[in-house]
Every structure is written in structure tokens, then in C-alpha cells.
Amino acid sequence: MKKTYKIEVDCAKCANEMEAASKKVKGVADAGVNFMTQKITVEFAEGADEASVMKAVLKACKKVDSDCEIDF
């Protein structure tokens, strides 16, 4: 399953780093952060719990930029 969420990201470099961090989260099959549209697209691994995976994605993104917010 693939879903898109609104994300607050301040620069393209941060977006790239958040994308890389998101891809390492358990339960994420693939992820992409678009700085221009301020959106993150997450493809969940088979059987992954969306809510717990998104909490982990947010935690990973906050390590890149502590002000990051994801609307999920």
C-alpha cells in the first residue's frame, strides 16, 4: 500500500536526507520526499501497521530536522 502525506521540510537537502532516513525504517518498502510539493510518499511493506510505521518515519525525519511535522 502506498500513501502520501503532507510534510514540513525546510530545504531540498533536508528532504533528501529525510527520504534516505525514511527508507531505513522497518515496515517501509520505499519512500520519497518532494520538497517542492511538501509531500512524503510512503510505500508500506506487506503486513506493516501504517500508524506505527509513520510514527517511526516521523522520528527518523525529526533526527534530520527537529521541526519536521508529518500530517498522518
Side-chain angles (χ1 to χ4, degrees), residues 16-37:
N16 288 337
E17 291 176 10
M18 288 178 188
E19 181 176 308
S22 298
K23 288 179 177 183
K24 294 177 184 176
V25 172
K26 184 177 180 181
V28 174
D30 196 19
V33 177
N34 187 312
F35 170 67
M36 296 301 290
T37 62

Side-chain angles (χ1 to χ4, degrees), residues 1-66:
M1 170 176 61
K2 187 185 278 191
K3 286 199 165 186
T4 302
Y5 307 90
K6 186 177 182 323
I7 187 171
E8 290 182 26
V9 57
D10 295 330
C11 67
K13 180 180 181 285
C14 291
N16 288 337
E17 291 176 10
M18 288 178 188
E19 181 176 308
S22 298
K23 288 179 177 183
K24 294 177 184 176
V25 172
K26 184 177 180 181
V28 174
D30 196 19
V33 177
N34 187 312
F35 170 67
M36 296 301 290
T37 62
Q38 296 284 295
K39 298 204 184 282
I40 181 171
T41 302
V42 178
E43 184 176 341
F44 298 94
E46 187 72 32
D49 177 58
E50 178 184 346
S52 62
V53 170
M54 287 310 297
K55 285 180 186 175
V57 167
L58 177 59
K59 185 176 179 180
C61 288
K62 282 190 174 282
K63 288 182 181 177
V64 174
D65 180 0
S66 61

